[in-house]
Amino acid sequence: MKIFLIGFMGCGKSTMGRKLARQLQFDFVDLDKQIEQETGMGIVDYFGLHGEDKFRQLERDILQKTDFSANEVIATGGGTPCYFDNMVWMNQHGQTVYLSMDPKALANRLINSKSERPLIKGLNYDQLLNFITLKLGSREAFYHQARFIVSAADLTAEKLAGYLNSSSA
């Protein structure tokens, strides 16, 4: 089973993905790391050099052309489900899980990692919270197409694995 973790930046897709993969004894792929490997540059650098449109096209190509193993957890980028047919494709090729968090919790997590994230680089806390609120509002229609919607606030890999196993039985 392929499990695609989706949600806003900072919700814990990569961290939870690694833990869930260990729990299930699956392989793990971080889509952003895959993009960095393929391009030989960081996401921030690629974004800065080529812009968001080229990045989203590359992201789609890598998502849809990667030969994921039969049992794999894939942590996607926060915007991945919102472009092209990515959400439909992920739903057709595996289980999708939206790790949901409210804007304030996301802002508290992201305030100290802004330099690593091109969309929020240079924002103060109030600007960050406003950005998250607006962007999350526009993305939730895509996120809510996920097969599973779970609160990431107190989520553990064990809880998520149990939920996925009981729901797929």
Side-chain angles (χ1 to χ4, degrees):
M1 165 174 46
K2 293 173 190 68
I3 301 168
F4 295 94
L5 299 181
I6 67 168
F8 204 80
M9 68 178 104
C11 72
K13 297 178 301 289
S14 296
T15 301
M16 181 58 63
R18 276 187 213 86
K19 291 176 180 178
L20 180 63
R22 257 192 316 273
Q23 177 75 23
L24 297 173
Q25 298 181 353
F26 280 19
D27 294 325
F28 173 73
V29 170
D30 183 316
L31 193 61
D32 283 347
K33 298 295 180 210
Q34 186 105 0
I35 291 168
E36 289 176 349
Q37 268 185 314
E38 299 244 351
T39 63
M41 64 176 66
I43 300 292
V44 173
D45 297 330
Y46 190 92
F47 232 85
L49 191 60
H50 300 287
E52 186 174 10
D53 288 345
K54 288 279 186 209
F55 173 77
R56 297 301 178 189
Q57 290 171 3
L58 174 67
E59 180 181 55
R60 176 187 181 210
D61 290 345
I62 290 176
L63 170 70
Q64 295 188 17
K65 292 179 181 173
T66 297
D67 187 20
F68 297 112
S69 69
N71 292 313
E72 190 145 29
V73 176
I74 302 102
T76 67
T80 306
C82 310
Y83 292 89
F84 307 106
D85 59 344
N86 291 341
M87 195 64 215
V88 171
W89 187 91
M90 287 186 287
N91 276 326
Q92 289 173 343
H93 290 87
Q95 299 294 335
T96 50
V97 180
Y98 169 32
L99 302 180
S100 175
M101 287 190 88
D102 70 73
K104 282 188 178 183
L106 289 165
N108 291 335
R109 282 189 177 188
L110 290 168
I111 193 66
N112 293 316
S113 65
K114 295 181 302 186
S115 64
E116 305 160 22
R117 301 175 186 272
L119 291 176
I120 61 172
K121 195 173 182 178
L123 301 181
N124 68 33
Y125 183 83
D126 290 337
Q127 292 168 324
L128 177 62
L129 181 58
N130 186 53
F131 172 84
I132 291 168
T133 302
L134 291 173
K135 190 64 96 172
L136 187 59
S138 69
R139 289 181 173 181
E140 282 207 313
F142 296 98
Y143 293 163
H144 280 269
Q145 293 174 37
R147 170 106 194 266
F148 303 98
I149 300 171
V150 296
S151 171
D154 295 317
L155 190 63
T156 65
E158 294 79 13
K159 283 183 192 175
L160 184 53
Y163 183 69
L164 289 168
N165 287 332
S166 69
S167 296
S168 61

